[in-house]
Amino acid sequence: MGLHPLEFSECYLDNPCFREKIKAHEAELEKTNRFIKELYKDGKNLINATKQLGMAQRKFAQCLGEFHFEYIGDAKTDDERCIDESLQEFSSFLKNLEDQRELMMRNITETLMKPLEKFRKEQIGAVRTERKKYDKETEKYYSSLEKLLNMSAKKKEPQLQEADVQVETLRQAFQGESLNYVCKLQDIQEKKKFECVEPMLAFFQTLFTFYHQGYELAKDFDHYKRALQINIQNTRSRFEGTRSEVAYLMKRFSETPQVYRQTSPISFEGYLYVQEKRPPPFGSSWVKRYCTFVKEQKILHMVTFDHRSGGKIGETESITLKSCLRKTTDMLDRRFCFDLEITDRPGTVLTVQALSEDDYKLWMQAMGGKEPIGLGYFGGNQSKERGIDAQLDDVGLNFMKYSISAIESRGINDQGLYRVGGVSSKVQKLLSLMIDEKSNEVDLSTSEDWDIKTITSALKLYLRSLPEPLMTYGLYKEFISLAKGGSPESRIQAVHCLVHKLPERNRQVLGLLMKHLANVAAHSKANLMTVANLGVVFGPTLMRPQEETVAAIMDLKFQNIVVEILIEHHEKIFADAPDLSPFTPAGLVLAAPTRQSKKQSRQSRPLAVYNPQVLDIPNADSPNLTADETSMGSNESVSSQSSSASTSELATDKTEHASLTASLSSDNDSRSRLLAACGASGESQPAATTAASEKEKQEQSVTGRRAKAVYPCEAEHDSELSFQVGAIFSAVTQSREPGWLEGDLDGKRGLIPENYVEML
């Protein structure tokens, strides 16, 4: 697991876990800073100590080989993996150069030293400056907050209001600085991947120019260099898209800070000052604690945490709430206070103080206080307002067909196609005109009133304005999961299967779009829109999560990968349904419990039968490609696949549209076969290695029958069944989990070890 994403919502909560995440980011940044410093020092040694070149070069190579970039999220893309491994590749190359004593070091200062030092001083130094501002604002805000909370409620109202305004101003400044610092931290964590590697790449290119005996090595390195350049460019492009999304999300949180309190429908959290009474004559003290209230169980978890004491997290105390009562200023000379009656300590009342009036109301509402508070922040409607009623209907399909026809006939070679946006007002006007069923049809292929930029932007706006993304919310996590792992061939098979799980209309429209994008990529020499560039543009348009978070934004790079696969292999994916040989696509997570602990207790019994129909992936017709070969050959493959089809596409637009509309309204037999193959029904599928008739017979031999337990079993997961010898199971079916069945016992359905029962 890499570094945790820093959510903007946590900037407002400022909880202990958030501070720990910030520390992890700062530690990683400091590690990078030390790495660059040492790299810079070693580089100077190579220039100034040519007599000790062998030793300096060995240390330099060792420094590169031992360093690894940390990444945000739970997986890397192929490009990031290649960039991460590039340091080890550089290290290996340096060791080879060390054997050739006739090496000449030139131009290292300009190609390596200055960019790295500039990055360290300007970029990392800027983060340190932001850190000082952040600490300063933290101190100012919490100091003023404590002064406000210690202020007597008997003071005059103008004085209280003035103090409230002052604290509110400091709070806004602190939260704004927190947002900026979080954004800066994550920005530098992403930028370091290419900002540190690019100078190294230039450094090696300089070596090739001046080394007499480096020519052959340079030729061997050339292939990897080109692949790495593509990886870096892809990572940079994805970073640009991610940065804009993060900036937009930060702006939204800054404009509506109330959203941060909507943490969970079942819990509420924030800081409270808890009154701790001491024996006379010491009185009492107020201790700041971060509290989390679980509404269903009425349990309040409190952890002591002070930002000014080094950020150490104290012990967690949990209490069960019985009631919550407002505390008036007549009883206690403090504002925003309320009493908590504790169930597990009869007669004990805990007095706590909220941070503000609004905070007080929210706590009272969450805990069911005697003073009911309106919905407040919780009543907000976060639904996105749509100015355009875009639907996936015949009108929308007509618009897409006319747009694609116009783009391919008038602007297929325009540089930056789909990258360069049109004027917003014209884009909305065109889209509104085209999706209005009452308006006259506009011939975009000949009309000079609408330029290509406007048409491409309107097409993207139409796809973004759909009530649900074209690739649906339901399959979003599965698409992202398959992009995070597996071989290139297994990813293609997984995408093939998932695409055919989409609704019929979504799949047909997606296929129409991918065919067009493949044609655009085939003209990338003129329009500069490669498959990777199109993936960056259309990834967030075709796929998006329901909840907008920084963690979701970090998945943009995996959205791009899915779209790239769809473009490169659109002919295979959309031509027909996947093979009926079932498999589990790489990266897809099946809902099955972990059973490591059961292995030891069952070693003396027959092993669960391996079920090949879940994990066996049939051999592909073509050999698997490595990640480098895939990235290097992506553009060429798209060009070769699309060049022969591009000539006839425009001539058959009208005919294709008529057939597309008809096919969308009809049921497809291959669609039903596909759902069965991909496990959509949840029932077992035939084994990949047996004949068709044997598969059906094998499946029918289990599905819907009864079974009898021959061994006792104790469930280790809530999805499993516990049973004794002789228990009878009904409605037994084959599970997707290898070696397991599913059945009903005493009104409960769950997993059953296949080797623990015999069929009746």
Side-chain angles (χ1 to χ4, degrees), residues 133-199:
K133 293 180 181 178
Y134 179 59
D135 290 338
K136 183 178 179 181
E137 291 296 333
T138 301
E139 177 64 26
K140 287 170 62 177
Y141 169 62
Y142 283 107
S143 297
S144 63
L145 181 62
E146 291 190 355
K147 290 180 181 179
L148 173 67
L149 297 177
N150 287 322
M151 183 179 293
S152 172
K154 296 180 180 180
K155 288 185 176 293
K156 295 181 179 181
E157 188 63 24
Q159 292 178 319
L160 295 175
Q161 292 180 356
E162 181 180 358
D164 288 345
V165 171
Q166 182 180 3
V167 171
E168 179 64 18
T169 302
L170 291 174
R171 181 187 66 81
Q172 292 178 358
F174 161 67
Q175 292 173 347
E177 191 59 39
S178 180
L179 287 171
N180 291 332
Y181 183 54
V182 165
C183 187
K184 193 74 174 178
L185 268 180
Q186 299 192 118
D187 187 271
I188 196 68
Q189 296 288 14
E190 290 291 300
K191 288 178 65 176
K192 68 183 180 183
K193 298 174 186 176
F194 47 84
E195 292 288 353
C196 291
V197 175
E198 274 188 324

Side-chain angles (χ1 to χ4, degrees), residues 707-727:
K708 179 181 179 181
V710 294
Y711 296 105
C713 178
E714 182 178 353
E716 296 183 358
H717 192 276
D718 55 9
S719 64
E720 300 178 20
L721 294 177
S722 297
F723 52 85
Q724 300 297 325
V725 176

Side-chain angles (χ1 to χ4, degrees), residues 293-347:
F293 180 65
V294 183
K295 297 180 182 179
E296 291 184 352
Q297 303 173 357
K298 288 192 173 184
I299 296 179
L300 181 67
H301 303 285
M302 302 181 295
V303 55
T304 304
F305 183 79
D306 192 343
H307 300 82
R308 298 172 300 177
S309 62
K312 292 185 178 180
I313 301 178
E315 296 182 357
T316 301
E317 179 183 1
S318 300
I319 60 174
T320 303
L321 184 67
K322 182 178 181 182
S323 64
C324 175
L325 304 174
R326 184 174 77 86
K327 192 84 169 180
T328 62
T329 54
D330 297 335
M331 303 172 61
L332 184 66
D333 191 18
R334 275 180 175 246
R335 297 190 298 165
F336 320 137
C337 295
F338 49 97
D339 288 339
L340 305 179
E341 188 176 355
I342 304 173
T343 300
D344 29 8
R345 300 185 209 163

Side-chain angles (χ1 to χ4, degrees), residues 604-634:
S604 59
R605 301 171 184 170
L607 296 176
V609 179
Y610 171 71
N611 187 358
Q613 65 189 41
V614 176
L615 297 179
D616 277 359
I617 299 177
N619 294 329
D621 295 333
S622 59
N624 292 337
L625 299 178
T626 63
D628 290 343
E629 292 169 340
T630 302
S631 61
M632 288 299 297
S634 60

